[in-house]
Amino acid sequence: MLVLMFASVLMVEAYVNAEFAPDSAQTTGGAGSIPESVQNGGPIIDTTNGGARSFGLPKKTIALTFDDGPDPRWTPAIDAVLRKHHVPGTFFVVGTQVARHPDIVRDLVNAGDEIGIHSFTHPQMVKLPKWRQEIEYSHTQMAIVNATGRKSNLLRFPYSSTVAAIDDDNWKLMRDAGRLGYLTILTESDSKDWDKPGVDKILDNATPKDDTGTISLWHDAGGDRSQTVAALDRFIPLMKERGFEFVTVSEGLRRTLAERDPAASVTGNPPATKADRQRGLALTAAIAIADRTVDGLAVLFLIVGVLTVIRTLALFILAARHARKRRSAAWTWGERVTDPVSVIVPAYNEKEGIEAAVQSLADGDHVGGIEVVVVDDGSSDNTADLVRAMRLPNVRVVQIPNGGKPNALNTGVAMASHDLIVMVDGDTVFEKESLGRLVQPFADPRVGAVAGNVKVGNRNSLVARWQHIEYVIGFNLDRRLYDVLRCMPTIPGAIGAFRREALRQAGGMSHDTLAEDTDVTMALCRAGWHVVYEERARAWTEAPATLKQLWTQRYRWSYGTMQAMWKHRRSLFERGPSGRFGRLGLPLVALFGVALPLLAPIIDLLTIYGLVFLDRTETLIAWVAMLGLQFITAAVAFRLDKEKITPLWTLPLQQFAYRQLMYLVLIQSGLTALTGARLRWHKLRRAGTAGAAAPAGVAGVQAVGPVPVVDPVKPLGRDELVRPRGVASVPPNPYLDTPAQRDQDFLQASKHGILP
């Protein structure tokens, strides 16, 4: 509905903004089927009721006619000259301008001037089909009715001139117009003010050569009309001195007809009916809506441009500063962190990738020791069995009823033995050095959490390549910026590290939003902890391989981000670290994470509009410039991340499909948030290809033999926290197989409502 509405509005705007050249282009031609009475007659042509008559003005009379208005500057200036000399004028108006400046036309009528029709968009009428010609007349008529409450029976075609210039095509136009009740008004003397030849030349062109009555052509729009105003101010007194009288076109025609029939009556602007006024109001309202909409889009386009430039400059400056600082030989987080680490892996139906994920974690080279806690969140496949069958000594498996990812993470934290906690998605594999690098920032006691570098592992499809580009530019480059500004809004669920104390102060992982990682990160920032980015700690994840899966994932992400922003909105007004994050971090997320993506479709919308209705060359140049800016940003991001730039060949294609999908996702998320609808968690299908593009040696999993059959859904009892049912023997686990550890685990789990 939004697309249809905008398309309709833009079509209206394109129609009413059709560009036209001034009346300098005049039709030339001659006879043919044109009656002799018309060829040798006057400039007023009557083809109503199937007739073919022409009339001129009486001697010593001049009808001043003005084309192409109204213009908000020049029409009032010209009318002021007419009022000064107490003479009337006949204004042949363009309908689109009447709709936009109805008050000017209303003032003209109130002052005694006459209004004629000059088409709605000023096209070459002979090139239009008949139905479009009639629309040009009727729409202008409706605009005049709305402005004045009166209609017009006078019509002058754009680019028309004298009787001598009528050709067969124009004669057909006149006959068709006559069937609709219009009198065609041509000219006899042309001031040629459209050419701006100078005041003296305009006077010479407009001055009659004898005492014959004349319809004189001037212009009150279409450019600078200062020469017209000056010439008119001299022309009227000169003609009055010669004894000429100034009349409107209909008054001149009445006088001509009165010479034959004293009772003849001519009304150029008869009153309109109520139905005519209603139609006029509807048309004017539609144009006003289109104008305001496009004006608003232009403002938003400017905002988008400014935001894009600001974001690009900020990324270049701050990301480059971040990279230079980290590359410095003197850079260090402090003393090497050798404390043991507990890795929490929440898993729900992750059989495709869980073995590779767990193997990569268990094989990490962190010198302090690694404990892996796999929390099976009520999986209906054999996720837990696959992990148990691997028989890794530093891996623990806990099965709980399905309660959502935050509950699984909190369970893992409760079961963890150490104070440094790493949280990893079940479809993510780590490089061997990643765990050790990820926890090094904890050498700084102010650091409460660390975001790692997420990489797309499955880059074989076009959709996945686009996400790879997005991860490098939109996520990892942004994290460098947020790191420098100390307002990191999100630690990715695929690779993030936390101090247990920081998690405790933040209240743990919350069910309040669908983006628990963003929620907890914002809470940490508000609590005063530093949240930093360690780009050397890399994890490889499996991105959605289809547009449908991508939609599902991003819908949840964007909606969850909006929820988290709303949840932490009070930080905007608080003091201390919370206020600092609220007045820096939240606006950045709102501007660059929500507003800019929401407004970005305007670029594409106006690009299409420009290609169809405006200058194609200028539009293409602007679009290519925007694409070039994105290429530069992408090249910088790929260089900082030490990625090959080969995938960037898909960036132009990304503009035509991927970006539009992201627009719609964000719009849907916004509407969901505004309506208060609830969104459930959607599980994505995995293919176990997270490590497909990872360096050699990452996530290699060997076969471990048959998997024992157990019930994975039923909650485990106290003893089964240690030794799963159905497994004959399990290698000793230094973290589990002690009575004291078992009692502690059972008590911790009971506090979290994990066990019956």
mmCIF file of all heavy atoms in Angstrom, residues 57 128 166 283 341 346 352 417 437 483 598 675 736:
data_model
loop_
_atom_site.group_PDB
_atom_site.id
_atom_site.type_symbol
_atom_site.label_atom_id
_atom_site.label_comp_id
_atom_site.label_asym_id
_atom_site.label_seq_id
_atom_site.Cartn_x
_atom_site.Cartn_y
_atom_site.Cartn_z
ATOM 1 N N LEU A 57 -11.154 42.338 -33.083
ATOM 2 C CA LEU A 57 -11.611 43.366 -32.155
ATOM 3 C C LEU A 57 -11.974 44.636 -32.920
ATOM 4 O O LEU A 57 -11.454 44.896 -34.019
ATOM 5 C CB LEU A 57 -10.522 43.671 -31.137
ATOM 6 C CG LEU A 57 -10.058 42.538 -30.219
ATOM 7 C CD1 LEU A 57 -9.119 43.099 -29.159
ATOM 8 C CD2 LEU A 57 -11.213 41.796 -29.592
ATOM 9 N N LEU A 128 -0.371 15.181 -28.646
ATOM 10 C CA LEU A 128 -1.075 14.401 -27.637
ATOM 11 C C LEU A 128 -2.287 13.705 -28.238
ATOM 12 O O LEU A 128 -2.913 14.223 -29.166
ATOM 13 C CB LEU A 128 -1.533 15.302 -26.487
ATOM 14 C CG LEU A 128 -0.447 16.085 -25.740
ATOM 15 C CD1 LEU A 128 -1.087 16.900 -24.629
ATOM 16 C CD2 LEU A 128 0.610 15.158 -25.185
ATOM 17 N N ILE A 166 -1.798 28.827 -38.632
ATOM 18 C CA ILE A 166 -2.655 27.650 -38.438
ATOM 19 C C ILE A 166 -2.374 26.634 -39.541
ATOM 20 O O ILE A 166 -2.360 26.970 -40.726
ATOM 21 C CB ILE A 166 -4.145 28.043 -38.468
ATOM 22 C CG1 ILE A 166 -4.461 29.053 -37.368
ATOM 23 C CG2 ILE A 166 -5.019 26.809 -38.317
ATOM 24 C CD1 ILE A 166 -5.885 29.578 -37.416
ATOM 25 N N LEU A 283 -8.973 18.044 -7.287
ATOM 26 C CA LEU A 283 -7.750 18.124 -8.092
ATOM 27 C C LEU A 283 -6.675 18.928 -7.374
ATOM 28 O O LEU A 283 -5.514 18.507 -7.284
ATOM 29 C CB LEU A 283 -8.071 18.766 -9.444
ATOM 30 C CG LEU A 283 -6.851 19.056 -10.321
ATOM 31 C CD1 LEU A 283 -6.233 17.761 -10.818
ATOM 32 C CD2 LEU A 283 -7.213 19.960 -11.488
ATOM 33 N N VAL A 341 38.735 -19.844 31.031
ATOM 34 C CA VAL A 341 37.556 -19.305 30.347
ATOM 35 C C VAL A 341 36.472 -20.376 30.257
ATOM 36 O O VAL A 341 36.760 -21.542 29.954
ATOM 37 C CB VAL A 341 37.921 -18.826 28.918
ATOM 38 C CG1 VAL A 341 36.667 -18.370 28.161
ATOM 39 C CG2 VAL A 341 38.942 -17.705 28.969
ATOM 40 N N PRO A 346 24.689 -22.027 23.599
ATOM 41 C CA PRO A 346 23.271 -22.381 23.580
ATOM 42 C C PRO A 346 22.952 -23.087 22.263
ATOM 43 O O PRO A 346 23.358 -22.643 21.190
ATOM 44 C CB PRO A 346 22.574 -21.024 23.664
ATOM 45 C CG PRO A 346 23.534 -20.076 23.039
ATOM 46 C CD PRO A 346 24.905 -20.586 23.359
ATOM 47 N N GLU A 352 23.530 -29.854 12.561
ATOM 48 C CA GLU A 352 24.342 -29.679 11.359
ATOM 49 C C GLU A 352 25.712 -29.082 11.668
ATOM 50 O O GLU A 352 26.695 -29.417 11.012
ATOM 51 C CB GLU A 352 23.615 -28.779 10.343
ATOM 52 C CG GLU A 352 22.370 -29.359 9.711
ATOM 53 C CD GLU A 352 21.149 -29.204 10.587
ATOM 54 O OE1 GLU A 352 21.272 -28.576 11.679
ATOM 55 O OE2 GLU A 352 20.067 -29.681 10.212
ATOM 56 N N SER A 417 32.223 -22.528 35.422
ATOM 57 C CA SER A 417 33.133 -22.619 36.568
ATOM 58 C C SER A 417 34.017 -21.390 36.723
ATOM 59 O O SER A 417 34.659 -21.226 37.760
ATOM 60 C CB SER A 417 34.030 -23.855 36.410
ATOM 61 O OG SER A 417 33.255 -25.018 36.238
ATOM 62 N N ARG A 437 42.777 -14.479 22.060
ATOM 63 C CA ARG A 437 42.763 -13.060 21.703
ATOM 64 C C ARG A 437 41.529 -12.355 22.251
ATOM 65 O O ARG A 437 41.592 -11.185 22.640
ATOM 66 C CB ARG A 437 42.807 -12.921 20.182
ATOM 67 C CG ARG A 437 44.146 -13.336 19.571
ATOM 68 C CD ARG A 437 44.065 -13.397 18.060
ATOM 69 N NE ARG A 437 45.376 -13.650 17.471
ATOM 70 C CZ ARG A 437 45.564 -13.936 16.180
ATOM 71 N NH1 ARG A 437 44.522 -14.004 15.364
ATOM 72 N NH2 ARG A 437 46.786 -14.154 15.720
ATOM 73 N N ASP A 483 33.882 1.571 19.221
ATOM 74 C CA ASP A 483 34.949 1.323 20.178
ATOM 75 C C ASP A 483 35.655 2.624 20.529
ATOM 76 O O ASP A 483 35.884 2.932 21.707
ATOM 77 C CB ASP A 483 35.938 0.314 19.581
ATOM 78 C CG ASP A 483 36.951 -0.174 20.601
ATOM 79 O OD1 ASP A 483 37.237 0.562 21.565
ATOM 80 O OD2 ASP A 483 37.474 -1.287 20.447
ATOM 81 N N LEU A 598 16.018 3.366 7.159
ATOM 82 C CA LEU A 598 14.611 3.611 6.849
ATOM 83 C C LEU A 598 14.443 4.654 5.751
ATOM 84 O O LEU A 598 13.531 4.551 4.922
ATOM 85 C CB LEU A 598 13.868 4.070 8.108
ATOM 86 C CG LEU A 598 13.222 2.994 8.978
ATOM 87 C CD1 LEU A 598 12.608 3.618 10.214
ATOM 88 C CD2 LEU A 598 12.178 2.206 8.213
ATOM 89 N N THR A 675 2.682 -0.839 16.148
ATOM 90 C CA THR A 675 1.393 -1.463 16.447
ATOM 91 C C THR A 675 1.425 -2.279 17.732
ATOM 92 O O THR A 675 0.376 -2.739 18.192
ATOM 93 C CB THR A 675 0.959 -2.376 15.289
ATOM 94 O OG1 THR A 675 1.978 -3.361 15.044
ATOM 95 C CG2 THR A 675 0.739 -1.560 14.015
ATOM 96 N N LEU A 736 33.729 -31.645 36.203
ATOM 97 C CA LEU A 736 32.444 -32.183 36.613
ATOM 98 C C LEU A 736 32.523 -33.293 37.640
ATOM 99 O O LEU A 736 31.727 -33.343 38.568
ATOM 100 C CB LEU A 736 31.696 -32.728 35.382
ATOM 101 C CG LEU A 736 31.133 -31.693 34.415
ATOM 102 C CD1 LEU A 736 30.540 -32.400 33.216
ATOM 103 C CD2 LEU A 736 30.053 -30.879 35.102
#
